[in-house]
Amino acid sequence: MILEGQIRKMITEYKKPVQYYLNLKNDFLDVNAQLGKKIRIYHDHNECLGCGLDKEIFRMGFCKNCFFTLPQANENIIRPELSTAHLGLEKRDLEWEKKFELQPHITYLALSSEVKVGVTRVSQIPTRWIDQGATSAIVLAETENRYQAGVIEVALKEHLADKTNYQRMLKNEVPDVDLIAQKDLFKIYIPEEESIFYSTDNTLYQFNYPVLKYPEKIKSLNLNKQKEYEGILTGIKGQYWIFEDNTVWNLRGHEGFYVILTI
Ligand SMILES: [Zn+2]
């Protein structure tokens, strides 16, 4: 079978194990069903997620021009504490930023390579954690907007990681940690003003991924350096495809690449 299209992050379903779909413009691929199969990936050209043009992808699937102009790539996306829509202040497009920032958010603890703190919209539960390849996650605080969740994250970052070590996540080198106990331990670092947002909901989200074999070493596939790759798919975790020869492909890092897949 041959499929082609622009790479966007995989669609996921919270199942045991997580179910993954690749949504190409004209094709829809059940990725779990491809485990054990040989897949050839060919980078044909680019299609920027913003303007759709065949331009060099700079970051987040956008060409340089879109990355520096579109509200979808404004700095509040990466650094929620810089959000200003709640003050009525515009970064790039106030209407867009209001819709995005002025909705319920959470600050969470997740275990992907170690315990980390992060922020996401309530609507992104549990998608955000699956995208990170987390093994488990718990809500620490639920806030009214993005700014408040960002302030809590910044305070917690002094004591916890805020990034995933993707190599350890992919090798499944994850310590056995009780996140409910961690939440109890770290709640004292929530700033006084935001303490009203502390969540008493101790639901523990746990994730299993469709992986036949974890890689021992990691070789990252970069389609900018290598136009073509072929290997046997042995796992899917986070937004990565894992191949038998220890190659891993980060689909999120290749958003905007237009590929032809032969399976
Ligand atoms: Zn563009």
Side-chain angles (χ1 to χ4, degrees):
M1 121 176 97
I2 297 177
L3 310 98
E4 62 178 272
Q6 173 203 48
I7 294 295
R8 279 170 292 157
K9 78 180 187 83
M10 288 178 283
I11 295 167
T12 59
E13 276 177 1
Y14 185 26
K15 287 187 176 167
K16 276 188 184 171
V18 171
Q19 172 66 48
Y20 287 94
Y21 299 100
L22 187 60
N23 189 14
L24 301 165
K25 216 164 268 174
N26 301 309
D27 291 302
F28 201 69
L29 181 69
D30 175 342
V31 188
N32 295 41
Q34 311 313 317
L35 284 178
K37 292 186 188 170
K38 190 184 269 184
I39 302 181
R40 177 173 174 264
I41 305 163
Y42 178 79
H43 177 208
D44 193 64
H45 61 278
N46 294 331
E47 202 175 286
C48 167
L49 254 50
C51 62
L53 297 176
D54 181 7
K55 289 164 74 174
E56 193 187 329
I57 300 299
F58 180 66
R59 228 175 272 170
M60 293 168 71
F62 296 122
C63 70
K64 216 165 192 172
N65 182 56
C66 288
F67 182 81
F68 287 108
T69 55
L70 290 179
Q72 291 89 333
N74 86 69
E75 62 180 352
N76 313 347
I77 304 291
I78 304 294
R79 299 184 57 192
E81 76 277 13
L82 300 179
S83 299
T84 52
H86 63 291
L87 302 172
L89 296 174
E90 176 175 273
K91 289 279 168 66
R92 290 180 179 178
D93 176 345
L94 187 56
E95 280 319 301
W96 190 94
E97 287 149 18
K98 274 184 172 170
K99 253 187 227 141
F100 186 82
E101 293 170 22
L102 305 185
Q103 59 174 297
H105 277 68
I106 56 163
T107 313
Y108 61 82
L109 300 182
L111 183 62
S112 38
S113 51
E114 56 210 307
V115 180
K116 63 158 264 171
V117 60
V119 164
T120 194
R121 289 164 283 161
V122 166
S123 64
Q124 293 303 296
I125 298 173
T127 311
R128 179 81 189 116
W129 300 320
I130 294 171
D131 289 349
Q132 290 171 346
T135 309
S136 56
I138 195 168
V139 175
L140 174 72
E142 183 168 346
T143 64
E144 295 155 355
N145 63 44
R146 189 167 186 82
Y147 170 77
Q148 294 155 342
V151 169
I152 298 172
E153 183 192 29
V154 167
L156 271 284
K157 262 201 254 191
E158 290 184 26
H159 311 277
L160 287 168
D162 65 325
K163 295 207 166 47
T164 299
N165 177 322
Y166 81 97
Q167 300 221 4
R168 286 175 47 202
M169 180 277 285
L170 288 170
K171 290 192 232 167
N172 206 33
E173 292 174 357
V174 186
D176 189 15
V177 176
D178 177 354
L179 274 189
I180 296 174
Q182 293 288 306
K183 173 176 168 175
D184 205 43
L185 200 65
F186 285 99
K187 71 177 176 193
I188 55 162
Y189 298 114
I190 298 176
E192 176 93 48
E193 209 169 319
E194 277 72 33
S195 59
I196 50 164
F197 300 122
Y198 175 75
S199 169
T200 52
D201 178 0
N202 274 350
T203 304
L204 186 65
Y205 294 83
Q206 290 180 293
F207 307 97
N208 293 292
Y209 296 91
V211 179
L212 304 175
K213 180 179 161 275
Y214 286 102
E216 288 132 31
K217 295 176 292 184
I218 303 277
K219 281 187 284 175
S220 284
L221 174 62
N222 179 345
L223 290 177
N224 267 328
K225 293 186 180 152
Q226 179 183 349
K227 217 172 166 50
E228 198 178 329
Y229 168 80
E230 188 176 81
I232 294 168
L233 186 71
T234 50
I236 317 155
K237 191 176 185 191
Q239 283 287 334
Y240 285 83
W241 286 9
I242 300 166
F243 293 92
E244 198 176 35
D245 66 354
N246 293 322
T247 295
V248 299
W249 185 37
N250 178 5
L251 277 83
R252 195 141 207 203
H254 284 83
E255 283 188 313
F257 283 58
Y258 190 102
V259 300
I260 299 169
L261 301 175
T262 312
I263 302 169

